[in-house]
Amino acid sequence: SFILLVAIASSLFFNGCGGKATGAEGTVIAEFNWDGKHQITLEEMQQEISELPDYKQQQYKDKKGLEEYMTLMAESRLILYLAKDRKLNEDAEIQKKVQSYLHELMVDKITALEVDQKLKLTEEDYRLYYESHKSDYIDPEQVRLTCIALANEDRAKEVLQQIKDGRDIVEVAKELSDKGELTGPGANPEKPGDTGYMTRTGYPEAAQPFVDAAFALEVGQTNDEIIGVNVQDQQYYMLFRKEEHKQERQKAFDEEDVRRSVERAAEREKRDTLMENWLVQLRERAKV
């Protein structure tokens, strides 16, 4: 809070009021002497508090909070007057930083006036954006498996035979997980064998035989032969049962995540267009 108050009061550092007595217009709530009398008014304090973030304003709602803020205002000004007495306001490095920050604030302000305040989209704008970008809002085809991936081919063949002999693959996956034998897809000990939903592009290219087989199976079907893949020099021997298959789906505009994404993207697109048009006008006006 103290650093915040120093920043708020820092205008005194560069304007002409430092080192001279200052009069006050409003209800005086504090005063101090520094090469003359200086005063802080209730109106000043209320204005400064109103410019704080909402969560900060809440800290200064009651009498105790207001007294704390008033003290911080006075202390921050005392420090800045001392700095000015030592001519730090004439320091070249500080002046350079102040000028740079001033330019940044001016650019932000004029951009807000010329671009951001014109950024008003309607419901029709959002729907038009969605219609022209529908391909961005598609849930791809997905499958979910119970998968057993092992590092040893002979062990994988033994497990496959157990399943062919009638053992349930979920039960076998849990048993292998308890022994620490599972690796790769389905190795999560909290859900042994469960791959979660996977897409055709969710695995490295080297794992494509596994992905192709997973999508080719019927729901409830287990692959007849071990599928071996090598990913980043790690060999996996895999058998799996297909549990679910979701077809590709066009997501609707009114779905919450879609609408939120559309609003952000449409506003960003319009802002970029407004900004570019504005800059073109500036360049033409200045004959760049």
Side-chain angles (χ1 to χ4, degrees):
S1 295
F2 179 73
I3 294 173
L4 177 66
L5 265 295
V6 171
I8 292 173
S10 62
S11 61
L12 295 175
F13 197 63
F14 293 96
N15 63 27
C17 69
K20 298 179 182 178
T22 57
E25 294 183 5
T27 307
V28 176
I29 57 174
E31 66 179 29
F32 57 90
N33 286 293
W34 192 280
D35 191 21
K37 183 183 292 185
H38 304 272
Q39 297 175 328
I40 296 172
T41 69
L42 177 63
E43 290 75 15
E44 281 182 283
M45 183 172 70
Q46 290 173 331
Q47 178 62 34
E48 288 189 4
I49 291 175
S50 72
E51 295 171 358
L52 297 175
D54 290 343
Y55 78 96
K56 280 286 185 183
Q57 292 185 36
Q58 298 303 315
Q59 298 180 24
Y60 305 113
K61 285 292 187 183
D62 58 14
K63 181 174 182 290
K64 181 179 178 182
L66 291 171
E67 289 176 348
E68 177 187 354
Y69 196 92
M70 178 179 64
T71 302
L72 287 171
M73 285 181 72
E75 291 173 347
S76 67
R77 292 186 183 190
L78 288 173
I79 290 173
L80 290 168
Y81 280 125
L82 175 61
K84 189 165 185 180
D85 282 355
R86 296 184 180 178
K87 299 188 182 303
L88 293 185
N89 58 313
E90 299 175 12
D91 182 278
E93 183 179 355
I94 292 177
Q95 288 283 359
K96 182 178 178 181
K97 289 181 178 179
V98 168
Q99 193 67 20
S100 175
Y101 185 51
L102 175 62
H103 289 170
E104 182 181 332
L105 290 175
M106 289 171 64
V107 167
D108 288 346
K109 183 65 175 179
I110 193 65
T111 302
L113 292 172
E114 295 294 332
V115 177
D116 295 336
Q117 288 188 12
K118 298 175 182 177
L119 191 62
K120 297 177 181 178
L121 280 78
T122 65
E123 181 73 5
E124 183 180 1
D125 291 327
Y126 293 131
R127 290 189 177 275
L128 286 173
Y129 181 90
Y130 167 77
E131 290 297 330
S132 62
H133 296 80
K134 288 183 79 169
S135 61
D136 294 338
Y137 303 100
I138 292 177
D139 272 339
E141 183 184 15
Q142 301 174 77
V143 297
R144 185 177 68 82
L145 313 174
T146 295
C147 178
I148 292 175
L150 301 167
N152 182 279
E153 185 176 13
D154 290 336
R155 180 63 168 142
K157 289 178 179 179
E158 291 176 11
V159 172
L160 178 58
Q161 189 58 52
Q162 291 178 27
I163 293 170
K164 286 183 175 181
D165 290 342
R167 290 199 65 190
D168 183 72
I169 191 170
V170 174
E171 177 187 335
V172 176
K174 185 177 186 311
E175 182 180 292
L176 293 170
S177 177
D178 291 342
K179 293 179 180 179
E181 294 186 59
L182 289 186
T183 184
N188 184 349
E190 294 183 5
K191 294 183 177 181
D194 192 344
T195 62
Y197 289 103
M198 48 186 276
T199 67
R200 291 185 182 273
T201 59
Y203 282 86
E205 185 177 351
Q208 200 61 41
F210 159 64
V211 175
D212 290 343
F215 277 86
L217 289 177
E218 298 293 331
V219 172
Q221 185 181 2
T222 303
N223 58 315
D224 293 329
E225 297 182 358
I226 300 295
I227 292 180
V229 297
N230 188 298
V231 179
Q232 296 182 345
D233 295 326
Q234 175 66 49
Q235 188 69 37
Y236 300 93
Y237 299 95
M238 313 167 79
L239 54 138
F240 43 85
R241 182 174 70 197
K242 187 171 182 177
E243 306 293 358
E244 293 184 70
H245 191 144
K246 291 183 177 181
Q247 297 296 335
E248 180 180 281
R249 181 182 74 90
Q250 176 67 58
K251 301 179 74 172
F253 170 73
D254 291 327
E255 293 181 41
E256 183 178 354
D257 63 323
V258 174
R259 184 182 186 89
R260 188 164 54 245
S261 175
V262 166
E263 288 177 354
R264 285 197 299 262
E267 288 166 7
R268 183 168 57 248
E269 182 179 81
K270 182 167 184 180
R271 188 183 193 278
D272 290 345
T273 300
L274 288 170
M275 175 68 82
E276 180 58 29
N277 291 341
W278 177 47
L279 292 176
V280 167
Q281 292 172 14
L282 285 178
R283 290 195 293 268
E284 290 175 349
R285 175 180 173 182
K287 296 182 173 57
V288 176

